[in-house]
Amino acid sequence: ATAPANTGKGAMPGLTREEEKLFKLGMPMVIQCAGEIGARWRYPQQDLLGAGTIALHQAVRTYEPRKHPSFPVYARHRIRAR
């Protein structure tokens, strides 16, 4: 198991170092999805960013590489479904 990364400046509480890397990898996808959905449905992008960030956090916490080889595919599905 990886040690929790919730120490130091900029650390995210409750995420391991590996989970934090996945979170950072997924944030551009959250921004992209929020922009696409916001433009299509004329919905405030800030609201979508909040929901997308929560969905990404949940995806990071539930991701199992043995079951889902591609984290971006796994995360994008969860972000867009949120």
Side-chain angles (χ1 to χ4, degrees):
T2 307
N6 49 353
T7 58
K9 187 176 181 178
M12 289 176 270
L15 296 181
T16 66
R17 285 183 184 93
E18 190 60 35
E19 289 171 340
E20 192 169 319
K21 287 178 189 175
L22 291 174
F23 189 88
K24 289 178 182 178
L25 175 72
M27 271 312 294
M29 190 177 352
V30 170
I31 295 165
Q32 179 185 8
C33 288
E36 290 170 359
I37 294 167
R40 182 174 186 169
W41 298 101
R42 300 184 192 274
Y43 202 80
Q45 188 174 8
Q46 282 303 113
D47 292 348
L48 295 169
L49 285 172
T53 302
I54 291 168
L56 175 61
H57 190 272
Q58 290 172 342
V60 165
R61 297 300 305 247
T62 59
Y63 177 61
E64 295 180 40
R66 282 169 267 145
K67 290 184 179 180
H68 311 280
S70 173
F71 176 74
V73 171
Y74 178 81
R76 186 173 179 86
H77 176 75
R78 275 134 193 88
I79 292 164
R80 293 188 68 87
R82 183 89 176 171

